[in-house]
mmCIF file of all heavy atoms in Angstrom:
data_model
loop_
_atom_site.group_PDB
_atom_site.id
_atom_site.type_symbol
_atom_site.label_atom_id
_atom_site.label_comp_id
_atom_site.label_asym_id
_atom_site.label_seq_id
_atom_site.Cartn_x
_atom_site.Cartn_y
_atom_site.Cartn_z
ATOM 1 N N ARG A 19 11.278 19.738 -14.196
ATOM 2 C CA ARG A 19 10.765 20.504 -13.076
ATOM 3 C C ARG A 19 11.113 19.832 -11.743
ATOM 4 O O ARG A 19 11.479 20.478 -10.774
ATOM 5 C CB ARG A 19 9.251 20.670 -13.205
ATOM 6 C CG ARG A 19 8.752 21.846 -12.398
ATOM 7 C CD ARG A 19 7.260 21.890 -12.404
ATOM 8 N NE ARG A 19 6.740 21.911 -13.768
ATOM 9 C CZ ARG A 19 5.512 21.514 -14.069
ATOM 10 N NH1 ARG A 19 4.706 21.064 -13.132
ATOM 11 N NH2 ARG A 19 5.095 21.575 -15.311
ATOM 12 N N THR A 23 13.371 21.446 -8.714
ATOM 13 C CA THR A 23 12.840 21.554 -7.362
ATOM 14 C C THR A 23 13.759 20.871 -6.361
ATOM 15 O O THR A 23 14.033 21.393 -5.274
ATOM 16 C CB THR A 23 11.444 20.909 -7.300
ATOM 17 O OG1 THR A 23 10.661 21.408 -8.379
ATOM 18 C CG2 THR A 23 10.764 21.232 -5.994
ATOM 19 N N ALA A 73 45.584 39.223 35.160
ATOM 20 C CA ALA A 73 46.566 40.290 35.297
ATOM 21 C C ALA A 73 46.226 41.226 36.463
ATOM 22 O O ALA A 73 47.109 41.809 37.068
ATOM 23 C CB ALA A 73 46.644 41.094 34.008
ATOM 24 N N THR A 74 44.955 41.361 36.765
ATOM 25 C CA THR A 74 44.581 42.370 37.747
ATOM 26 C C THR A 74 44.568 41.826 39.166
ATOM 27 O O THR A 74 44.558 42.561 40.120
ATOM 28 C CB THR A 74 43.154 42.869 37.480
ATOM 29 O OG1 THR A 74 42.265 41.800 37.781
ATOM 30 C CG2 THR A 74 42.988 43.307 36.072
ATOM 31 N N PRO A 76 45.142 39.682 42.790
ATOM 32 C CA PRO A 76 46.221 39.368 43.709
ATOM 33 C C PRO A 76 46.828 38.036 43.305
ATOM 34 O O PRO A 76 46.182 37.206 42.687
ATOM 35 C CB PRO A 76 45.515 39.271 45.055
ATOM 36 C CG PRO A 76 44.108 39.019 44.732
ATOM 37 C CD PRO A 76 43.846 39.680 43.428
ATOM 38 N N SER A 102 56.558 37.003 28.159
ATOM 39 C CA SER A 102 56.998 37.068 26.783
ATOM 40 C C SER A 102 58.449 37.562 26.804
ATOM 41 O O SER A 102 58.774 38.479 27.535
ATOM 42 C CB SER A 102 56.050 38.004 26.061
ATOM 43 O OG SER A 102 56.679 38.656 25.045
ATOM 44 N N ASP A 109 71.681 33.924 15.420
ATOM 45 C CA ASP A 109 71.695 35.370 15.204
ATOM 46 C C ASP A 109 70.358 35.964 14.778
ATOM 47 O O ASP A 109 70.289 37.109 14.346
ATOM 48 C CB ASP A 109 72.758 35.764 14.160
ATOM 49 C CG ASP A 109 74.138 35.749 14.790
ATOM 50 O OD1 ASP A 109 74.212 35.884 16.033
ATOM 51 O OD2 ASP A 109 75.128 35.583 14.047
ATOM 52 N N TYR A 113 60.312 36.875 19.483
ATOM 53 C CA TYR A 113 59.710 37.057 20.795
ATOM 54 C C TYR A 113 58.724 35.938 21.052
ATOM 55 O O TYR A 113 57.811 35.721 20.261
ATOM 56 C CB TYR A 113 59.075 38.448 20.881
ATOM 57 C CG TYR A 113 60.170 39.454 20.794
ATOM 58 C CD1 TYR A 113 60.616 39.911 19.562
ATOM 59 C CD2 TYR A 113 60.856 39.848 21.928
ATOM 60 C CE1 TYR A 113 61.697 40.751 19.466
ATOM 61 C CE2 TYR A 113 61.927 40.697 21.845
ATOM 62 C CZ TYR A 113 62.356 41.151 20.604
ATOM 63 O OH TYR A 113 63.444 41.967 20.538
ATOM 64 N N ASN A 176 66.878 35.601 26.448
ATOM 65 C CA ASN A 176 67.472 36.754 27.131
ATOM 66 C C ASN A 176 68.999 36.625 27.235
ATOM 67 O O ASN A 176 69.578 36.873 28.284
ATOM 68 C CB ASN A 176 66.897 36.877 28.541
ATOM 69 C CG ASN A 176 65.908 38.001 28.615
ATOM 70 O OD1 ASN A 176 65.509 38.553 27.582
ATOM 71 N ND2 ASN A 176 65.492 38.361 29.818
ATOM 72 N N LYS A 218 51.034 32.121 37.480
ATOM 73 C CA LYS A 218 49.993 32.577 36.566
ATOM 74 C C LYS A 218 48.921 31.512 36.429
ATOM 75 O O LYS A 218 47.833 31.757 35.942
ATOM 76 C CB LYS A 218 50.598 32.888 35.189
ATOM 77 C CG LYS A 218 51.608 34.028 35.219
ATOM 78 C CD LYS A 218 50.918 35.376 35.250
ATOM 79 C CE LYS A 218 51.847 36.520 35.601
ATOM 80 N NZ LYS A 218 52.923 36.721 34.645
ATOM 81 N N ASN A 294 5.474 25.407 -4.547
ATOM 82 C CA ASN A 294 5.152 25.979 -5.843
ATOM 83 C C ASN A 294 4.969 24.875 -6.888
ATOM 84 O O ASN A 294 3.968 24.840 -7.614
ATOM 85 C CB ASN A 294 6.301 26.908 -6.260
ATOM 86 C CG ASN A 294 5.811 28.032 -7.134
ATOM 87 O OD1 ASN A 294 4.666 28.030 -7.569
ATOM 88 N ND2 ASN A 294 6.669 28.993 -7.388
ATOM 89 N N ARG B 19 1.581 31.482 -7.843
ATOM 90 C CA ARG B 19 2.898 30.983 -8.199
ATOM 91 C C ARG B 19 3.919 32.119 -8.195
ATOM 92 O O ARG B 19 5.045 31.949 -7.737
ATOM 93 C CB ARG B 19 2.840 30.320 -9.577
ATOM 94 C CG ARG B 19 3.995 29.376 -9.789
ATOM 95 C CD ARG B 19 4.023 28.872 -11.191
ATOM 96 N NE ARG B 19 2.772 28.196 -11.533
ATOM 97 C CZ ARG B 19 2.377 28.044 -12.783
ATOM 98 N NH1 ARG B 19 3.099 28.529 -13.782
ATOM 99 N NH2 ARG B 19 1.241 27.427 -13.037
ATOM 100 N N THR B 23 7.255 32.279 -5.817
ATOM 101 C CA THR B 23 8.583 32.432 -6.408
ATOM 102 C C THR B 23 9.300 33.645 -5.817
ATOM 103 O O THR B 23 10.484 33.595 -5.495
ATOM 104 C CB THR B 23 8.461 32.592 -7.934
ATOM 105 O OG1 THR B 23 7.598 31.571 -8.425
ATOM 106 C CG2 THR B 23 9.806 32.482 -8.594
ATOM 107 N N GLY B 26 10.786 33.246 -2.359
ATOM 108 C CA GLY B 26 12.109 32.620 -2.401
ATOM 109 C C GLY B 26 13.216 33.641 -2.538
ATOM 110 O O GLY B 26 14.242 33.561 -1.880
ATOM 111 N N ASN B 75 52.657 41.930 30.695
ATOM 112 C CA ASN B 75 53.090 40.542 30.796
ATOM 113 C C ASN B 75 54.297 40.263 29.920
ATOM 114 O O ASN B 75 54.417 39.201 29.345
ATOM 115 C CB ASN B 75 51.946 39.615 30.388
ATOM 116 C CG ASN B 75 51.341 38.965 31.593
ATOM 117 O OD1 ASN B 75 52.043 38.701 32.560
ATOM 118 N ND2 ASN B 75 50.061 38.724 31.543
ATOM 119 N N ASP B 77 58.576 40.545 29.255
ATOM 120 C CA ASP B 77 59.889 40.757 29.834
ATOM 121 C C ASP B 77 60.564 41.940 29.142
ATOM 122 O O ASP B 77 61.451 42.573 29.686
ATOM 123 C CB ASP B 77 60.711 39.476 29.667
ATOM 124 C CG ASP B 77 62.083 39.636 30.264
ATOM 125 O OD1 ASP B 77 62.157 39.942 31.470
ATOM 126 O OD2 ASP B 77 63.072 39.476 29.533
ATOM 127 N N PRO B 104 47.359 46.540 37.106
ATOM 128 C CA PRO B 104 46.326 45.965 37.965
ATOM 129 C C PRO B 104 46.431 46.450 39.411
ATOM 130 O O PRO B 104 47.541 46.604 39.925
ATOM 131 C CB PRO B 104 46.607 44.465 37.905
ATOM 132 C CG PRO B 104 48.013 44.349 37.453
ATOM 133 C CD PRO B 104 48.282 45.529 36.595
ATOM 134 N N TYR B 115 38.955 44.113 41.970
ATOM 135 C CA TYR B 115 40.226 44.160 41.254
ATOM 136 C C TYR B 115 40.013 44.842 39.922
ATOM 137 O O TYR B 115 39.128 44.476 39.157
ATOM 138 C CB TYR B 115 40.789 42.748 41.088
ATOM 139 C CG TYR B 115 40.992 42.120 42.433
ATOM 140 C CD1 TYR B 115 40.007 41.320 43.002
ATOM 141 C CD2 TYR B 115 42.134 42.407 43.168
ATOM 142 C CE1 TYR B 115 40.163 40.789 44.264
ATOM 143 C CE2 TYR B 115 42.296 41.883 44.431
ATOM 144 C CZ TYR B 115 41.308 41.070 44.985
ATOM 145 O OH TYR B 115 41.471 40.575 46.230
ATOM 146 N N TYR B 117 41.986 48.242 37.198
ATOM 147 C CA TYR B 117 43.235 48.812 36.711
ATOM 148 C C TYR B 117 43.388 50.259 37.180
ATOM 149 O O TYR B 117 42.404 50.958 37.417
ATOM 150 C CB TYR B 117 43.274 48.813 35.188
ATOM 151 C CG TYR B 117 43.199 47.442 34.589
ATOM 152 C CD1 TYR B 117 41.987 46.919 34.156
ATOM 153 C CD2 TYR B 117 44.346 46.667 34.455
ATOM 154 C CE1 TYR B 117 41.911 45.660 33.609
ATOM 155 C CE2 TYR B 117 44.281 45.400 33.909
ATOM 156 C CZ TYR B 117 43.069 44.900 33.482
ATOM 157 O OH TYR B 117 43.008 43.654 32.938
ATOM 158 N N LYS B 255 65.197 43.551 13.842
ATOM 159 C CA LYS B 255 65.187 42.801 15.098
ATOM 160 C C LYS B 255 64.644 43.666 16.228
ATOM 161 O O LYS B 255 64.996 43.465 17.393
ATOM 162 C CB LYS B 255 66.600 42.340 15.446
ATOM 163 C CG LYS B 255 67.172 41.381 14.432
ATOM 164 C CD LYS B 255 68.518 40.890 14.858
ATOM 165 C CE LYS B 255 69.046 39.892 13.845
ATOM 166 N NZ LYS B 255 70.360 39.407 14.227
ATOM 167 N N ASP B 257 62.720 45.159 19.215
ATOM 168 C CA ASP B 257 61.953 44.534 20.293
ATOM 169 C C ASP B 257 60.802 45.435 20.704
ATOM 170 O O ASP B 257 60.290 45.367 21.804
ATOM 171 C CB ASP B 257 62.851 44.207 21.490
ATOM 172 C CG ASP B 257 63.623 45.419 21.960
ATOM 173 O OD1 ASP B 257 63.486 46.491 21.338
ATOM 174 O OD2 ASP B 257 64.354 45.293 22.960
ATOM 175 N N ILE B 294 16.948 29.315 -8.687
ATOM 176 C CA ILE B 294 16.489 28.060 -9.306
ATOM 177 C C ILE B 294 14.965 27.998 -9.282
ATOM 178 O O ILE B 294 14.342 27.517 -10.235
ATOM 179 C CB ILE B 294 17.122 26.864 -8.577
ATOM 180 C CG1 ILE B 294 18.609 26.851 -8.898
ATOM 181 C CG2 ILE B 294 16.474 25.556 -9.002
ATOM 182 C CD1 ILE B 294 19.397 25.869 -8.097
ATOM 183 N N ASN B 298 12.527 27.453 -12.487
ATOM 184 C CA ASN B 298 11.474 26.452 -12.502
ATOM 185 C C ASN B 298 10.131 27.069 -12.916
ATOM 186 O O ASN B 298 9.427 26.565 -13.796
ATOM 187 C CB ASN B 298 11.354 25.847 -11.106
ATOM 188 C CG ASN B 298 10.854 24.421 -11.154
ATOM 189 O OD1 ASN B 298 10.427 23.957 -12.213
ATOM 190 N ND2 ASN B 298 10.907 23.741 -10.037
#
Side-chain angles (χ1 to χ4, degrees):
Chain A
R19 201 187 305 157
T23 311
T74 69
S102 149
D109 282 337
Y113 295 87
N176 255 11
K218 297 281 167 62
N294 210 351
Chain B
R19 200 187 302 158
T23 312
N75 255 327
D77 181 57
Y115 301 94
Y117 298 96
K255 297 184 178 179
D257 54 358
I294 290 171
N298 209 350

